[in-house]
Amino acid sequence: MNQLLFASAVFLGMVLAIRVWRRAYLYAFLRRMRFGMATGQEINRNALPSEARMVLDEAAKQLVALGFERVGCRANAPSVKNVDGPIYHDYYLHRPTGTFADVFPSDIPEPGAIAAISFESWLADGRVAFTVNRRRHLLLPMPESFLLDDGYLGSVAEQWELHQKRLVNIAGERITNYDEMMQRNEVLSREMADSWLQRGVMQRTGESEWRLTHTGTMGHMARLLSGSKRVAALPAMVVAAPIEARVCADLIFYQATEPHRRQGVLGRTGKVVLFIASALLGTVAFGLAYSWKIVPILMGVLLFHEFGHALAMQATGYRNVQVLVLPLLGAVASGHKDDASHWAKLVVLLAGPLPGLIVSIIMLHVLGEDAASHPLLLQIALMGLVINLFNLLPFTPLDGGQIVETFLFARWPLFRYLFFILSCMAIFAAGVWLDSMVLIAFALLLLISSPRFLAIYRLARHIGPSNREDAHREIFTALHEKYAHTAKHLVQRIQVVRGVLPLVLARPLTVRDSLLGGAVYIAVIALPIISLHNISVARQTFAHLFQLSPAGAVTQRQWDAELAGAATDEERWRILNEAGYWEEDTNYELAAAHNRYQQALVIAQGFPAGDLRLLDTKIALVRTTTDRGAALAGYRQLVREASQLQGTERLRLAEINEAIFWLDEAAPADVRMEYLREAISVREVIEYKSYMIASDHEEIARLHYQQGDYSQSEEELRRALAANSATHQALPLTWLLMDRDRSKEAEELMQEYLHQDNAPFISTSLRDSLAWAQLLQGKRGEGYEILENMVTADNTVVPWQKYYLMLDLIHFSADDIKARNGWKVRLKRALAKENIGYKSLLNGLDYYDTYAPWDERRTKARRAALDSLGLSRDEPLQSCS
């Protein structure tokens, strides 16, 4: 249930982020608009472009039917300078009422409203009655002399009827002379500009140029959004224009606005600011979701990848190139080039992962088998390797998926759609497998957008290859003829056109192109696998990626075959060392591993004096010795050799001392502590593996506790927490504080870690400990509630953890016999269902008693609760984990 809620929260967060992004984009678009005076000149109507004439002729039919006559035709420069002009206007006059009609191709053409019509009655006293339809939200606030109304009606006839009703209540002499009306129009334009400046809606950017202020932008954006929703909810206009006229209206709008959109709504400074903002937001999101330690490396790898895409886009002629960080998802480079060739797309797509892979390969080769001594460089190399290989997976929208889509499915658009759906399913499955709510939510978000992709691919299939001059008309025509139901509104049609254009403008692929592009893609994927097959740390990484064993899932006979083919002693030593590691770490065959290391020792003894491979082989031999006494003697002898090492090489001395600590259990406690202090002193100088330093401090603390030196034990646990601030490192200290009757301090310490993104096991342990802290402070009810919630409502708590939590609940409900008996029955049923008996649970409690002596109070309580169940003591031991 919790995971479902988290997935829902992530999904809603992504949807909200998209909505916020759209509003931010609209805000930037409006701020970038520049306004000026709408000057124009009279023209011969026969000189109108064919598209504009067809749109205006459709409107003329309705106006003539209403008693209007044409009195003029003008070509006006657009008042919005972000629109390519001119805008062609027809002017009509209704003489009985003294009303003019201004007609021009609509800036939001819809079926039945491909032309915008405004009815204007100009009064001698300077006022003008202005009636528009479904357009009021597009207009900025007007001066008081501008009497505006909009009924959001279903036809031009209803709009005209509304205007006539308004005229009844508007007294005054009306101007019917066309030239005088145009002069008044210019005066009104200046009055509107002055009004906008006075109200703070606009600000000057030049002699005769203005832009919206922040306040004006926010107000206009609110009007646009609310008005657009209102129009979208209305039925279509009653009188529908012919398809050819609708196509012309769409083309006029597209050709006037698209060039400016492609330039982008942000200038260079705006893009930099947006990139920095997204990078900061992404850094915080990645840090909270994963780990602050890896954020610099993760961000570096992601941005190196995306700027590779961006540079390739600029080199191949893409416009409006921009890089953004997507919190929790990664980063993206975007740009526009509708007629980009398939090979240009391949260059752009590979420019992201290929440089990163090459850098990672070079770093891993330079580090070689000594990679573990350079943890930061190793982490950078491996993260670069994993992220860039992941991006090459054949799933849209990853780089690899786009390559496969481009070169394999370019000739079959519907297969592209099927590939898109399969990719969504694969991402969803990966999210389930990896327990990643982000991937699951992302996959669902992609699936929601699939209808638009289906419309795009169907249109591309219907149109086929096209030249640039005819493509836009063909797409709009097909949209209105066959797919009107999928793109009813202008915004939807524009989005589809933008998606279809690259598919129909690209040169058709030949079979040779597909084979060559596929070969390049496979070669790039194979590059790291082939070039890094000799690097063990890389092979282990590949093993995790592809679910193979660390040594590549090779057999014993293949090891022998590799040895037979080795040309040098160095190569033979490497193969024997890797084979020993394989047997030791994967097969757990210590005898077989020991034999490999013995063979490697014979070769290593021939290496130059001081070669660390000889010492490493000796350490491996001792590590795989099954005789405890012989292993202890071997490690003690190796101490003398390792003591001469310098720098990071001294880590071997720390590992040897830690091994002696674990083997020499019969030695006095102070002697065993000295082994660990020596190891700590080495590690602290090198600052390597802080979790090992913390682990060593914790072992020293355990020995002090067993000797009754509780203050020194506490001091060591605090040192452990300082070395490694992970939540699990705080748990021993909290229990020692509770053991010493300092439960309030323990609770305060746990509260610091409670809201960290911990693994389920750690989270359960933390909350269980918090419940005990409440109990020991006399707040039994609060502690009981924490435990009960974990057992009954938390799906992250695994069954074997719940068994011990129910033992705690039995102890916590000592004063409530009914609840105590209820938990006993419930636990016995759970144990019987899984065939787990007394010895199995007791084995776990013995573990706690041995390795967490400060936890004795809880261990005793659990033993008493276990004994109260009356379970048989003769059942076979079975692991609860």
Side-chain angles (χ1 to χ4, degrees), residues 625-854:
T625 299
T626 54
D627 186 312
R628 192 181 188 91
L632 183 57
Y635 275 125
R636 283 175 173 159
Q637 185 175 352
L638 289 173
V639 167
R640 290 190 289 272
E641 295 185 45
S643 297
Q644 307 304 315
L645 300 176
Q646 300 297 322
T648 58
E649 297 172 357
R650 287 180 62 81
L651 285 173
R652 295 168 175 83
L653 178 60
E655 294 168 0
I656 292 170
N657 275 290
E658 287 159 350
I660 295 175
F661 166 82
W662 287 107
L663 288 171
D664 197 7
E665 292 181 338
D670 57 341
V671 174
R672 298 184 71 204
M673 290 181 199
E674 196 56 38
Y675 294 138
L676 294 182
R677 290 196 178 98
E678 176 69 20
I680 290 171
S681 67
V682 171
R683 292 189 184 280
E684 285 181 335
V685 170
I686 301 172
E687 296 184 348
Y688 179 64
K689 287 189 176 179
S690 61
Y691 75 90
M692 286 299 301
I693 297 175
S695 177
D696 290 345
H697 278 302
E698 187 175 330
E699 293 303 325
I700 296 174
R702 183 174 287 109
L703 293 176
H704 278 302
Y705 188 92
Q706 291 170 344
Q707 291 181 316
D709 191 348
Y710 304 124
S711 62
Q712 192 60 43
S713 180
E714 179 182 343
E715 181 63 27
E716 291 294 335
L717 288 179
R718 292 192 181 278
R719 290 173 182 169
L721 188 57
N724 180 26
S725 59
T727 303
H728 69 84
Q729 202 65 63
L731 286 171
L733 179 57
T734 61
W735 274 101
L736 186 143
L737 293 173
M738 285 191 280
D739 181 70
R740 309 315 300 162
D741 296 323
R742 294 157 62 188
S743 301
K744 181 61 177 176
E745 291 180 52
E747 180 183 359
E748 292 172 353
L749 179 60
M750 282 184 280
Q751 291 292 355
E752 294 180 22
Y753 294 89
L754 191 61
H755 301 296
Q756 289 190 11
D757 186 12
N758 298 302
F761 172 79
I762 300 300
S763 176
T764 300
S765 300
L766 182 66
R767 288 178 289 162
D768 180 33
S769 301
L770 182 60
W772 276 88
Q774 302 281 19
L775 172 69
L776 295 175
Q777 294 178 72
K779 296 183 285 187
R780 182 185 297 268
E782 295 178 24
Y784 182 93
E785 184 178 350
I786 294 173
L787 294 173
E788 184 181 34
N789 181 66
M790 284 195 289
V791 172
T792 59
D794 192 341
N795 293 328
T796 65
V797 182
V798 297
W800 69 267
Q801 288 178 304
K802 288 188 178 182
Y803 302 150
Y804 293 110
L805 293 177
M806 282 192 272
L807 288 175
D808 290 346
L809 281 164
I810 292 172
H811 176 74
F812 273 55
S813 55
D815 296 336
D816 187 340
I817 301 301
K818 182 178 180 181
R820 181 181 176 87
N821 291 335
W823 285 115
K824 285 183 180 180
V825 171
R826 182 166 180 169
L827 177 55
K828 289 168 72 173
R829 287 176 179 172
L831 295 174
K833 182 178 180 181
E834 298 297 329
N835 194 27
I836 294 174
Y838 178 86
K839 288 185 178 180
S840 299
L841 287 178
L842 185 63
N843 183 53
L845 294 176
D846 288 341
Y847 170 85
Y848 280 113
D849 195 29
T850 303
Y851 292 99
W854 31 71

Side-chain angles (χ1 to χ4, degrees), residues 129-147:
F130 213 85
T131 305
V132 296
N133 192 33
R134 303 190 180 190
R135 289 180 49 79
R136 182 167 190 161
H137 57 283
L138 303 177
L139 305 177
L140 291 168
M142 296 298 174
E144 293 181 0
S145 61
F146 197 95
L147 309 177

Side-chain angles (χ1 to χ4, degrees), residues 346-638:
L346 181 64
V347 169
V348 169
L349 290 170
L350 289 181
L354 186 56
L357 287 176
I358 292 173
V359 171
S360 294
I361 291 169
I362 292 173
M363 289 179 67
L364 289 171
H365 272 285
V366 171
L367 293 173
E369 296 306 319
D370 195 34
S373 300
H374 304 83
L376 177 60
L377 295 178
L378 177 61
Q379 196 170 17
I380 293 172
L382 290 180
M383 190 169 290
L385 183 69
V386 171
I387 287 178
N388 288 295
L389 272 178
F390 176 80
N391 263 278
L392 285 170
L393 291 176
F395 303 116
T396 299
L398 300 177
D399 297 331
Q402 293 185 64
I403 293 173
V404 170
E405 185 181 338
T406 299
F407 283 89
L408 190 58
F409 302 123
R411 288 172 290 175
W412 304 292
L414 286 182
F415 279 99
R416 273 187 144 160
Y417 178 70
L418 293 176
F419 179 68
F420 173 79
I421 296 298
L422 289 174
S423 296
C424 294
M425 295 171 64
I427 294 172
F428 184 87
V432 173
W433 181 52
L434 297 172
D435 196 25
S436 171
M437 298 300 107
V438 174
L439 284 179
I440 292 174
F442 182 58
L444 293 175
L445 202 61
L446 288 175
L447 282 172
I448 288 175
S449 65
S450 61
R452 183 168 68 90
F453 284 99
L454 178 59
I456 289 172
Y457 293 138
R458 289 172 67 185
L459 262 176
R461 180 191 182 196
H462 174 78
I463 295 170
S466 179
N467 60 60
R468 190 169 188 85
E469 290 72 25
D470 300 330
H472 302 90
R473 184 179 294 275
E474 290 177 353
I475 297 172
F476 279 119
T477 300
L479 269 173
H480 285 288
E481 285 182 345
K482 294 183 175 295
Y483 304 106
H485 62 284
T486 63
K488 295 180 180 179
H489 302 291
L490 176 67
V491 173
Q492 296 171 322
R493 293 197 294 277
I494 296 299
Q495 288 176 342
V496 171
V497 170
R498 291 170 185 165
V500 173
L501 270 176
L503 303 181
V504 300
L505 291 179
R507 178 182 62 83
L509 275 176
T510 64
V511 174
R512 179 176 174 275
D513 291 332
S514 295
L515 291 175
L516 186 56
V520 171
Y521 170 57
I522 293 172
V524 172
I525 293 179
L527 172 66
I529 299 174
I530 294 173
S531 60
L532 294 174
H533 75 281
N534 288 330
I535 308 296
S536 59
V537 68
R539 278 205 312 279
Q540 294 171 39
T541 302
F542 293 143
H544 288 295
L545 288 176
F546 303 115
Q547 289 190 312
L548 300 176
S549 53
V554 294
T555 64
Q556 186 75 24
R557 290 180 58 185
Q558 288 173 304
W559 285 122
D560 294 337
E562 285 189 45
L563 281 171
T568 64
D569 282 345
E570 284 77 6
E571 191 174 356
R572 277 188 286 274
W573 179 89
R574 177 186 59 77
I575 294 170
L576 286 166
N577 192 63
E578 291 177 2
Y581 180 81
W582 160 255
E583 298 291 358
E584 175 188 355
D585 194 62
T586 305
N587 282 358
Y588 309 107
E589 293 287 346
L590 293 184
H594 194 75
N595 181 54
R596 295 288 189 186
Y597 293 136
Q598 282 181 326
Q599 297 176 56
L601 180 63
V602 174
I603 297 174
Q605 287 171 340
F607 291 157
D611 193 313
L612 286 177
R613 286 177 291 184
L614 177 58
L615 178 58
D616 288 339
T617 309
K618 290 179 180 179
I619 293 174
L621 267 172
V622 175
R623 187 174 63 242
T624 52
T625 299
T626 54
D627 186 312
R628 192 181 188 91
L632 183 57
Y635 275 125
R636 283 175 173 159
Q637 185 175 352
L638 289 173

